[in-house]
């Protein structure tokens, strides 16, 4: 363990020195660098990240959809030292080989972004708080409303495709604990909320003010599931805005 840490520190030191003198951006990769990078990627990364780089949930290193933007130097460092306390291992590559992998990935991302949309999590966060008005129903890290599910760690629970679908087709797949229910009391009053439980005699809802409401079935004229109160954003947000929001949501992983 000690030797490992020591080696990592040595590599890091060497790296800092390397980048201090030759910033990566200033280097020009040759075609053979890119080919070597591709070979190394296939040999050392594809077994976990997949040949297209999208096999680890929430990370698409084939398209540059990382949890947070990384500079080339940070990418090289990640490859060399791994990410502590996660399955992402340190590799045995030299810093030069790691830079070739990064050059290969960057070239791939550039060629893909010319044809497909790449999300920007920072823009997505702004949309979440402004135009999307998502915080009026959702909470992230304690801020926002509890009407809809808490999204603080939604990126760890859903794939990008699932998130995209939640935004464009909210009723397609609703988690059982998020189903909405409406009761109509005998006096005509209606209450809507997330259904917590119901049995032969009673119904429990969490209403829009996050209050637990209990009803006796004898007092109800009607009770039924209703569609999700979440609007579809399929037409109100552009494709780019949706992609940005999905990037942001994917980045929400830890409390
Ligand atoms: C043994 C499996 C494994 C191998 C091999 C592997 N990775 Fe990873 N990698 C992971 C896992 C798992 C994560 C997510 C770690 C976490 O939970 O933060 C990750 C995370 C990353 C991240 C951070 C992404 C982000 O959005 O934060 C980058 C970049 C990355 N890997 C690149 C590579 C490259 C390049 C290679 C090949 C040199 C490689 N990985 C090899 C499993 C692996
Ligand atoms: C009027 C309230 C409301 C608004 C506004 C709203 N949501 Fe929702 N959202 C909900 C409710 C309720 C659910 C749970 C039912 C469902 O899945 O449709 C939900 C579900 C979700 C889910 C799926 C959660 C899961 O566990 O799979 C995501 C993701 C989501 N919303 C994101 C957003 C984003 C991003 C915005 C803003 C662009 C937004 N919502 C705006 C009420 C809302």
């Amino acid at each position: 363990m000690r030797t490992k840490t020591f080696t990592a520190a040595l590599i890091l030191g060497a790296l800092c020195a390397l980048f201090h003198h030759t910033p990566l951006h200033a280097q020009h990769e040759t075609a053979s660098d890119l080919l070597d990078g591709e070979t190394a990627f296939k040999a050392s990364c594809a077994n976990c990240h997949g040949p297209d780089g999208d096999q680890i949930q929430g990370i698409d290193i084939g398209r540059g959809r990382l949890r947070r933007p990384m500079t080339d130097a940070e990418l090289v460092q990640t490859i060399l030292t791994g990410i502590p306390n996660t399955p992402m291992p340190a590799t045995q590559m030299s810093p030069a080989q790691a830079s070739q992998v990064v050059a290969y990935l960057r070239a791939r991302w550039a060629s893909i972004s010319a044809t497909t949309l790449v999300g920007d999590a920072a823009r997505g966060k702004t949309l979440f708080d402004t135009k999307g008005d998502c915080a009026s129903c959702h909470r992230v890290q304690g801020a926002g409303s509890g009407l809809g599910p808490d999204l603080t760690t939604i990126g760890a629970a859903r794939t990008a495709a699932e998130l995209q679908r939640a935004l464009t087709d909210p009723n397609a797949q609703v988690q059982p604990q998020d189903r909405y229910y409406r009761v109509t009391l005998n006096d005509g009053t209606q209450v809507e909320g997330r259904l917590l439980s119901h049995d032969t005699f009673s119904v429990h809802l969490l209403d829009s003010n996050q209050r637990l409401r209990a009803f006796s079935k004898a007092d109800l004229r009607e009770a039924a599931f209703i569609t999700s109160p979440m609007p579809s954003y399929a037409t109100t947000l552009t494709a780019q805005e949706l992609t940005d929001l999905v990037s942001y949501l994917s980045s929400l992983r830890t409390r």
Side-chain angles (χ1 to χ4, degrees):
M1 197 59 216
R2 259 184 104 161
T3 342
K4 235 179 174 173
T5 323
F6 179 68
T7 317
L10 248 188
I11 293 174
L12 263 179
L15 254 185
C16 292
L18 179 76
F19 287 118
H20 189 72
H21 295 294
T22 42
L24 197 63
H25 309 283
Q27 291 177 355
H28 288 282
E29 301 86 21
T30 61
S32 89
D33 280 338
L34 295 184
L35 278 177
D36 289 346
E38 180 174 22
T39 308
F41 175 84
K42 284 182 177 152
S44 314
C45 320
N47 52 334
C48 291
H49 285 275
D52 290 317
D54 59 356
Q55 290 302 300
I56 291 174
Q57 198 177 47
I59 302 177
D60 188 345
I61 60 170
R63 286 165 183 265
R65 288 184 189 150
L66 306 183
R67 292 172 188 167
R68 63 176 184 86
M70 288 195 197
T71 62
D72 287 1
E74 287 174 309
L75 282 166
V76 168
Q77 206 174 97
T78 304
I79 293 173
L80 293 177
T81 60
I83 303 177
N85 307 317
T86 78
M88 168 74 195
T91 61
Q92 304 299 314
M93 290 184 190
S94 69
Q97 281 173 315
S99 330
Q100 286 174 335
V101 173
V102 171
Y104 161 69
L105 289 174
R106 286 266 182 231
R108 237 186 111 128
W109 301 345
S111 73
I112 287 170
S113 65
T115 50
T116 0
L117 299 173
V118 173
D120 178 324
R123 282 202 307 252
K125 180 179 179 2
T126 305
L127 280 164
F128 191 94
D129 296 331
T130 57
K131 186 175 173 188
D133 196 23
C134 317
S136 67
C137 290
H138 292 285
R139 205 170 270 161
V140 174
Q141 304 265 19
S145 145
L147 185 66
D150 190 308
L151 299 180
T152 303
T153 56
I154 194 70
R158 310 273 175 262
T159 63
E162 287 166 339
L163 292 169
Q164 173 93 18
R165 192 160 64 150
L167 297 180
T168 55
D169 193 0
N171 278 296
Q173 192 169 37
V174 174
Q175 299 302 309
Q177 75 276 13
D178 294 335
R179 290 190 73 187
Y180 263 64
Y181 206 67
R182 178 192 289 144
V183 297
T184 309
L185 279 68
N186 285 329
D187 69 2
T189 320
Q190 290 193 328
V191 180
E192 294 177 2
R194 224 183 299 173
L195 181 63
L196 296 179
S197 67
H198 68 132
D199 57 32
T200 325
F201 305 108
S202 62
V203 173
H204 291 91
L205 296 182
L206 196 64
D207 75 10
S208 53
N209 298 316
Q210 291 278 78
R211 274 189 318 225
L212 177 68
R213 308 281 301 263
F215 302 96
S216 163
K217 281 202 173 157
D219 299 334
L220 302 180
R221 190 194 295 166
E222 222 182 298
F225 281 107
I226 53 172
T227 55
S228 169
M230 171 150 164
S232 163
Y233 292 89
T235 54
T236 48
L237 295 178
T238 66
Q240 179 66 61
E241 286 171 333
L242 287 168
T243 309
D244 291 343
L245 266 175
V246 168
S247 273
Y248 169 60
L249 294 172
S250 296
S251 75
L252 300 176
R253 284 159 178 275
T254 45
R255 294 197 179 269

